[in-house]
């Protein structure tokens, strides 16, 4: 049976080369953005493509109610296990492109860890924004984290890469393939990632296909307007209020406000 890397939350973080401390830094910055821009006190928040909701778990520990949305049963399962002794965090298994949940409106929403580019079509982004907008109070903020696109070239030829790592007792071999996509698709690459994971007692293979279309600040601003639910009120880079977009090293945030 073929598995997904998202069934193994600890391993996927290292495959994606994330540093554990980044989560706490992002949560601190989120709270600074809320203090600076939100006209609402933030008591309840929505975490989009939450995975096991590491951000939500930190916020729930600080007394904020969190609802996470993700399509992966295993990531949500991990989130439920990890937050079993926490009050005020709930998960729903949904696709982010279009969804509803039986919840009253939230004060803020966020989308962390570079997953926004998996929505590759304008209409998917617009229906996503409408779904989030329906669940946010007027004036509520939606913070979206996106990789810097500079230097990334549309893949024209099939490219392979390989890397080995150790995660606890597991030995992981990662093979990535960037597959070219038609120039008009807007998708920079169709990224296939295959892992061979050797645990002490079993061997698992995973395979995931991740189409990637990077969104620019001007595109997000336009799509926010088109959704008629949001306006983009700020962009920030590398978790700083003062660094300009032109100096962005890794990631930028779009801050949308529900209108
Ligand atoms: C890189 S993880 C990030 C998880 C979490 N936000 C974090 O910072 O750890 C990406 C998550 O997006 C979810 N995901 C990807 N595409 C999705 C979709 N179309 N609908 C819902 N969830 C999706 C995956 O299941 C995975 O849990």
């Amino acid at each position: 049976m073929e598995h997904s890397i998202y069934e193994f939350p600890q391993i996927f973080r290292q495959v994606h080369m994330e540093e554990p401390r980044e989560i706490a830094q992002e949560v601190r910055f989120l709270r600074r953005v809320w203090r600076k821009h939100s006209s609402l006190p933030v008591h309840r928040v929505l975490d989009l493509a939450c995975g096991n909701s590491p951000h939500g778990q930190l916020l729930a520990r600080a007394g904020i109610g969190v609802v996470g949305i993700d399509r992966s049963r295993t990531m949500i399962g991990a989130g439920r296990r990890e937050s079993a002794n926490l009050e005020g965090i709930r998960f729903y298994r949904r696709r982010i492109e279009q969804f509803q949940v039986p919840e009253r409106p939230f004060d803020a929403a966020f989308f962390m860890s570079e997953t926004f580019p998996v929505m590759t079509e304008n209409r998917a982004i617009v229906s996503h924004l409408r779904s989030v907008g329906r669940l946010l109070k007027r004036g509520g903020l939606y913070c979206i984290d996106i990789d810097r696109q500079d230097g990334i070239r549309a893949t024209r030829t099939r490219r392979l890469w390989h890397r080995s790592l150790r995660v606890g007792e597991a030995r992981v071999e990662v093979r990535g393939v960037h597959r070219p996509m038609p120039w008009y698709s807007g998708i920079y690459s169709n990224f296939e990632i295959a892992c061979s994971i050797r645990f002490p007692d079993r061997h698992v293979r995973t395979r995931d296909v991740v189409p990637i279309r990077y969104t620019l600040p001007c595109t997000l601003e336009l799509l926010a307007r088109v959704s008629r639910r949001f306006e983009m009120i700020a962009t920030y880079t590398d978790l700083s209020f003062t660094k300009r977009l032109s100096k962005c090293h890794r990631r930028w945030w779009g801050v949308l406000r529900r209108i």
Side-chain angles (χ1 to χ4, degrees):
M1 178 186 148
E2 200 161 63
H3 293 268
S4 160
I5 191 65
Y6 297 114
E7 292 170 40
F8 306 95
Q10 297 313 323
I11 295 179
F12 108 76
R13 264 179 220 298
Q14 299 217 16
V15 168
H16 281 253
M17 292 183 265
E18 277 181 28
E19 302 266 351
R21 68 169 191 279
E22 286 177 24
I23 304 282
Q25 290 166 348
E26 286 161 359
V27 167
R28 273 198 296 279
F29 194 66
L30 256 181
R31 301 189 77 170
R32 289 178 67 201
V33 171
W34 294 339
R35 278 198 295 276
K36 185 175 163 91
H37 290 290
S38 183
S39 51
L40 307 168
V42 177
H43 298 304
R44 292 180 68 249
V45 299
L46 191 59
D47 180 1
L48 283 308
C50 62
N52 54 335
S53 194
H55 303 84
Q57 292 185 40
L58 288 181
L59 290 166
R61 274 195 195 100
I64 293 179
V66 180
V67 166
I69 307 284
D70 199 284
R71 69 173 177 194
S72 159
R73 193 190 299 278
T74 43
M75 288 297 267
I76 285 181
R80 287 193 177 124
R81 275 196 306 282
E82 290 163 11
S83 59
N85 57 358
L86 276 177
E87 296 235 330
I89 179 162
R90 275 194 297 281
F91 294 87
Y92 291 91
R93 188 163 173 235
R94 301 280 193 276
R95 295 189 64 87
I96 49 172
E97 289 82 352
Q98 189 162 24
F99 63 91
Q100 292 184 345
V101 289
E103 293 281 341
R104 57 198 166 79
F106 294 87
D107 306 311
F110 59 90
F111 195 137
M112 290 293 125
S113 296
E114 313 157 35
T115 313
F116 200 77
V118 304
M119 286 185 286
T120 54
E121 303 204 346
N122 290 346
R123 67 166 172 255
I125 300 179
V126 170
S127 69
H128 166 78
L129 292 174
R130 289 190 174 142
S131 301
V132 177
R134 271 194 294 273
L135 284 162
L136 266 189
K137 292 180 188 163
R138 271 177 205 277
L141 300 182
Y142 184 22
C143 294
I144 302 173
D145 161 59
I146 302 180
D147 263 17
R148 181 188 76 147
Q149 183 187 0
D150 188 22
I152 293 172
R153 298 281 167 262
T155 305
R156 290 283 164 257
T157 52
R158 192 168 171 273
R159 279 193 291 123
L160 284 165
W161 58 271
H162 174 253
R163 162 169 117 82
S164 308
L165 60 145
R166 243 197 132 83
V167 184
E169 298 207 298
R171 277 189 297 123
V172 187
E173 298 287 323
V174 190
R175 282 180 196 282
V177 186
H178 286 282
R179 289 190 193 283
M181 297 295 285
W183 67 269
Y184 52 82
S185 67
I187 299 175
Y188 279 75
S189 68
N190 212 15
F191 182 54
E192 268 182 46
I193 186 158
C195 299
S196 154
I197 309 174
R198 288 186 189 278
F199 294 104
D201 57 343
R202 66 191 172 125
H203 180 204
V204 173
R205 289 183 192 280
T206 67
R207 184 172 167 281
D208 292 273
V209 178
V210 187
I212 295 175
R213 171 198 172 180
Y214 288 96
T215 303
L216 300 174
C218 57
T219 327
L220 186 60
E221 182 180 34
L222 184 64
L223 291 167
R225 276 171 191 253
V226 170
S227 77
R228 300 214 203 132
R229 305 267 176 175
F230 288 103
E231 60 178 346
M232 191 159 92
I233 57 164
T235 51
Y236 293 117
T237 70
D238 298 333
L239 309 185
S240 160
F241 281 140
T242 51
K243 201 171 176 185
R244 278 171 291 156
L245 272 175
S246 58
K247 301 281 180 204
C248 177
H249 170 59
R250 271 189 66 198
R251 287 142 82 163
W252 66 277
W253 284 25
V255 182
L256 311 188
R257 180 163 48 212
R258 172 77 165 86
I259 47 179

